[in-house]
Amino acid sequence: MKFKKIVLPFVAGALALSLAACNDEDKATKEETPKQETASKDAKQETPKAPSKEELAEMQAKLDEQQVDKSKIVAIVNDEELKGDQYNQALMSIQGQMQQMGQDPTSKEASEQIKTQTLDTLVNQTLIRQKADEAKLTATEEEINKEYTTYEEQVGGEEAMAKALEAQKMDKETLKEQIADSIVFGKYQDKVAPAKEVTDEEIQAYYDQAVAQAEGTEQKLPPLEEASEEIKGILEQQQQQELFAAHVEKLKADAKIELKI
C-alpha cells in the first residue's frame, strides 16, 4: 500500500483544484483495504440513481445564484481590487469540492460557509502572489506545459480536458495562467517555509500509528525499511504546510484587507 499524502494548500485555479481533488480520490480508492473491497463485493452493488436533467438544471441554477457580478469588487487587498470573475472561479472550485465529498453546497448554511471560504481563499492567494511578485518568482513555459500535460493525463486526455474546461467555464489559456500561479506559489512556499529535517523517531512514530490503524484488518503494510522514504516525504510536506499556513496568517495580520461582500 501507499501512505496517503496531504494536498498542498492554496492551489490557484478552479480546475487545477478540482483535478487535484479527483486524483487524490482515485488514489484513496486504490488504497482501500482488502477487507473493505471484500465487503463491497459481498454486498449488492446498488448504483445510485442518476439525477435527471431537470434536477441537474435546478442544482446548477442554485449554484449560479451564489455567484456575483464579474465586475463587482469583492475585496481590496493592499490596495489591489479583487473582482467578481476571480471570486466566481474560486467559488466554483469550492462548490465542486463539496459535491465531491457528498455535501450539498446549495443549502443556506453551506452557502454562507462557501462565501467565507471563497473570500478567504481569494485573499490568501492574492497575498501570496503579491509577495511572490516582490520576490520576482516566475513560472517558465516549460514548467507550465509540463504541469498542464499532467492534468490532461489525469483527467483522461485532450478530449476529456476540453470537456472539463467547458464544465468549469474556462479556456485553456486561463487554466495555464492559473497553473503558472500554482507553480509560483509552490516556489514561494519553498522559499519562505522550507521543510525541516525529519528524524528517525518521527518516521518510526508515523509508521507505528499506521500499523495500529491497520490492526484487525487484512491491510498489509510494507516493512519500515521500504516505507521510510515515503513517510519522510509526507512528514516533510506536513511540516512545510504548517509553517506556510502560519506564514500566510502573518501576511494577513500585516495586510490591509477590506471585504466588500
Side-chain angles (χ1 to χ4, degrees):
M1 69 161 282
K2 285 186 176 294
F3 294 88
K4 189 173 181 182
K5 297 183 180 180
I6 310 290
V7 181
L8 287 173
F10 312 125
V11 178
L15 183 57
L17 277 166
S18 298
L19 293 177
C22 288
N23 190 43
D24 281 345
E25 286 184 354
D26 290 342
K27 288 181 181 178
T29 300
K30 292 175 183 177
E31 293 167 9
E32 287 181 350
T33 65
K35 183 176 181 179
Q36 290 173 316
E37 292 173 356
T38 303
S40 297
K41 288 178 182 178
D42 291 340
K44 290 184 178 180
Q45 296 181 352
E46 296 182 4
T47 304
K49 182 181 178 182
S52 65
K53 289 183 178 180
E54 291 76 15
E55 289 172 331
L56 288 173
E58 183 180 355
M59 170 66 75
Q60 188 58 52
K62 289 180 179 179
L63 294 174
D64 290 344
E65 286 177 2
Q66 295 178 2
Q67 296 193 9
V68 300
D69 184 270
K70 292 181 179 180
S71 60
K72 182 179 180 64
I73 298 174
V74 298
I76 302 175
V77 179
N78 293 328
D79 297 326
E80 179 179 344
E81 295 180 347
L82 307 182
K83 300 290 185 68
D85 56 347
Q86 298 165 281
Y87 177 89
N88 292 339
Q89 285 292 346
L91 173 74
M92 287 190 293
S93 172
I94 293 169
Q95 289 172 336
Q97 289 175 53
M98 287 192 69
Q99 288 177 307
Q100 288 169 7
M101 293 186 292
Q103 299 175 2
D104 179 11
T106 63
S107 69
K108 183 177 180 180
E109 182 180 344
S111 179
E112 289 301 315
Q113 176 187 339
I114 289 172
K115 178 182 175 181
T116 299
Q117 188 176 347
T118 301
L119 284 169
D120 193 52
T121 298
L122 200 55
V123 167
N124 288 345
Q125 290 177 351
T126 302
L127 288 169
I128 295 167
R129 180 180 48 72
Q130 288 174 347
K131 288 297 182 180
D133 287 345
E134 288 179 16
K136 300 188 185 318
L137 299 176
T138 59
T140 67
E141 187 174 348
E142 181 181 359
E143 289 172 328
I144 295 168
N145 289 335
K146 181 179 179 180
E147 196 76 9
Y148 180 87
T149 299
T150 299
Y151 287 138
E152 191 173 74
E153 290 172 352
Q154 287 176 352
V155 81
E158 185 176 351
E159 186 176 343
M161 174 63 94
K163 290 181 179 179
L165 287 168
E166 183 180 358
Q168 290 287 341
K169 300 178 182 178
M170 188 188 302
D171 57 32
K172 183 176 179 179
E173 291 309 310
T174 300
L175 174 58
K176 285 194 171 184
E177 289 174 5
Q178 297 185 347
I179 288 173
D181 284 343
S182 178
I183 292 169
V184 170
F185 287 3
K187 290 181 179 181
Y188 180 73
Q189 178 173 258
D190 290 338
K191 177 182 174 65
V192 301
K196 295 181 179 179
E197 185 67 29
V198 174
T199 66
D200 291 340
E201 290 76 12
E202 289 172 324
I203 293 173
Q204 182 69 60
Y206 186 98
Y207 184 80
D208 290 343
Q209 184 179 11
V211 169
Q213 290 175 344
E215 190 175 349
T217 73
E218 296 178 23
Q219 192 172 19
K220 293 183 179 180
L221 298 178
L224 176 60
E225 296 75 22
E226 295 179 14
S228 61
E229 281 303 310
E230 185 176 1
I231 294 173
K232 180 181 178 182
I234 294 171
L235 291 175
E236 286 177 344
Q237 189 181 61
Q238 288 177 345
Q239 290 178 359
Q240 187 177 30
Q241 287 176 13
E242 289 172 3
L243 289 170
F244 191 58
H247 175 76
V248 172
E249 287 304 311
K250 186 177 186 307
L251 291 182
K252 290 170 73 173
D254 295 339
K256 181 181 177 182
I257 301 169
E258 186 178 355
L259 303 182
K260 293 291 192 177
I261 60 172

